[in-house]
Amino acid sequence: MAEKTEKEIFEEYLSRANLRGTAQRGFLLDLFLKQDKHVSAEQLYDEAKKTDSTIGQATVYRILKLLVDAGLAREVDFGDGIMRYERLHGLQHHDHLICKGCSETIEVCDPIIEELQKRLAEQYGYKMLDHELYLYGLCPKCRGE
Amino acid sequence: MAEKTEKEIFEEYLSRANLRGTAQRGFLLDLFLKQDKHVSAEQLYDEAKKTDSTIGQATVYRILKLLVDAGLAREVDFGDGIMRYERLHGLQHHDHLICKGCSETIEVCDPIIEELQKRLAEQYGYKMLDHELYLYGLCPKCRGE
DNA sequence: TTGCTTGCAAAGGATTTGCAACATG
DNA sequence: CATGTTGCAAATCCTTTGCAAGCAA
């Protein structure tokens, strides 16, 4: 059996939550999936306006929240006051390595670190549900300058 | 030779940066050091008003920034839109384990994880300067409920 | 005296919300 | 058709900034 598509997941989520399918929801899901990097609500809004100039930003904010609830997106917070969203479904978990010089961001992953985090939480009796790891540094380019 | 006190560090920082010592700066430093948990600007402001009802919140925001610059405080961001500040000087680095049920926060530390993070960054040619790790889970109490 | 600091209030920027018109199931 | 949804604008929240008066060096 093939894996569910994002569209199927989203529709299933909507109907289970007694929410409705609308043109905006379908359109913004597609547009969101086309982004290959994390996007802010404003970036997605600007992108969306190119196709549908009547869309409202509140709609973009609201639908991004739905995507998070549906398990299709996750919020990433680089601490600059802007919430960004990235695809979650079908991609492996990763953390972020951020250059303090040029803001270039790389997705990284280390299964050993993940495992150690889980154990660390358990040492305190916690059941770990989630984590966020941000590594800040200087990329090769900015190191040299 | 005894280690420098926070007050000394702050005064040194101020004079090196051509800034002035003021009653508010001394008072807020003392008050900040008395907190045993991270505080938000607003919490510190409320606390400060008990002693000095004329202090302004802008002053609190400004002085917290100074403490960060002086290396005496660090910002922690739990993702709820409120920036919190905690003591940095003289205390070992730590990360945060946050209960999603009751918001109880524990400071944790694992030197092995820290080392692996540094190596992970180096694999990508980055020089790691800093990191943030937040572990979200359920504390023993909330696990049971 | 010079110019950094303060407190106040207003401005700022990201996100949320109230509401009337609209569209879905 | 009952209710969820949208777009707009206004409102919110935390934080920053402009400014005139106040103070440190």
Side-chain angles (χ1 to χ4, degrees):
Chain A
M1 185 171 90
E3 207 180 327
K4 281 182 210 158
T5 65
E6 282 88 353
K7 196 163 271 290
E8 286 167 344
I9 292 174
F10 194 35
E11 278 165 7
E12 224 173 281
Y13 165 78
L14 289 174
S15 79
R16 256 190 251 149
N18 259 71
L19 301 174
R20 292 174 182 171
T22 67
Q24 290 91 331
R25 286 177 182 173
F27 167 54
L28 282 177
L29 170 60
D30 285 345
L31 194 61
F32 174 71
L33 294 175
K34 276 192 198 119
Q35 312 301 313
D36 47 44
K37 294 207 150 203
H38 41 256
V39 284
S40 63
E42 197 182 356
Q43 288 171 330
L44 194 63
Y45 172 56
D46 288 343
E47 206 57 40
K49 272 193 302 190
K50 291 179 186 167
T51 303
D52 172 5
S53 62
T54 71
I55 202 157
Q57 21 178 355
T59 303
V60 176
Y61 277 97
R62 287 189 276 233
I63 292 178
L64 280 170
K65 278 236 161 89
L66 287 180
L67 295 180
V68 171
D69 291 344
L72 294 171
R74 97 167 147 145
E75 301 186 315
V76 289
D77 178 3
F78 296 151
D80 61 355
I82 300 172
M83 194 60 80
R84 279 163 243 267
Y85 296 81
E86 66 183 16
R87 286 184 65 168
L88 190 53
H89 179 68
L91 305 177
Q92 75 171 353
H93 167 79
H94 61 260
D95 298 305
H96 294 93
L97 175 53
I98 304 143
C99 177
K100 282 200 167 181
C102 62
S103 296
E104 185 194 43
T105 303
I106 291 181
E107 300 178 350
V108 297
C109 184
D110 183 338
I112 302 176
I113 292 180
E114 311 270 306
E115 179 59 28
L116 289 175
Q117 287 171 354
K118 208 154 75 178
R119 287 194 204 159
L120 181 59
E122 275 163 13
Q123 281 172 27
Y124 292 89
Y126 275 58
K127 177 182 175 57
M128 189 173 104
L129 299 174
D130 200 6
H131 77 270
E132 276 175 79
L133 173 61
Y134 300 99
L135 302 176
Y136 297 97
L138 288 178
C139 74
K141 253 179 287 167
C142 294
R143 257 179 119 148
E145 282 166 18
Chain B
M1 185 170 92
E3 208 180 326
K4 282 184 211 156
T5 66
E6 283 87 352
K7 197 165 273 289
E8 286 166 344
I9 293 174
F10 195 36
E11 280 165 7
E12 225 173 280
Y13 165 78
L14 290 174
S15 79
R16 256 190 250 148
N18 260 72
L19 302 174
R20 292 174 182 170
T22 66
Q24 289 92 332
R25 287 176 181 174
F27 167 55
L28 282 177
L29 171 61
D30 285 347
L31 194 62
F32 174 70
L33 294 175
K34 276 193 199 116
Q35 313 301 313
D36 46 46
K37 294 206 149 203
H38 41 256
V39 285
S40 63
E42 196 180 359
Q43 288 171 330
L44 195 64
Y45 172 56
D46 288 342
E47 205 58 39
K49 273 193 299 191
K50 292 180 186 167
T51 303
D52 173 5
S53 63
T54 71
I55 202 157
Q57 20 178 358
T59 303
V60 176
Y61 277 97
R62 287 189 275 232
I63 291 179
L64 280 170
K65 279 236 160 91
L66 287 181
L67 294 180
V68 171
D69 290 344
L72 294 170
R74 94 165 150 145
E75 302 186 314
V76 288
D77 178 4
F78 296 152
D80 62 355
I82 300 173
M83 194 59 80
R84 279 164 244 266
Y85 296 82
E86 66 182 15
R87 287 184 62 168
L88 189 53
H89 180 67
L91 305 176
Q92 73 170 354
H93 168 80
H94 60 260
D95 298 306
H96 294 94
L97 177 53
I98 303 144
C99 177
K100 281 199 166 180
C102 63
S103 296
E104 185 193 45
T105 303
I106 292 181
E107 299 177 350
V108 297
C109 184
D110 184 336
I112 300 176
I113 293 180
E114 311 270 306
E115 179 58 29
L116 289 174
Q117 287 171 355
K118 209 155 71 177
R119 287 194 205 159
L120 181 58
E122 275 164 12
Q123 281 173 27
Y124 292 88
Y126 275 58
K127 175 182 175 57
M128 189 173 104
L129 299 174
D130 198 7
H131 76 269
E132 276 176 79
L133 172 62
Y134 299 98
L135 302 175
Y136 297 96
L138 289 177
C139 73
K141 253 178 287 166
C142 295
R143 258 179 119 148
E145 283 163 16

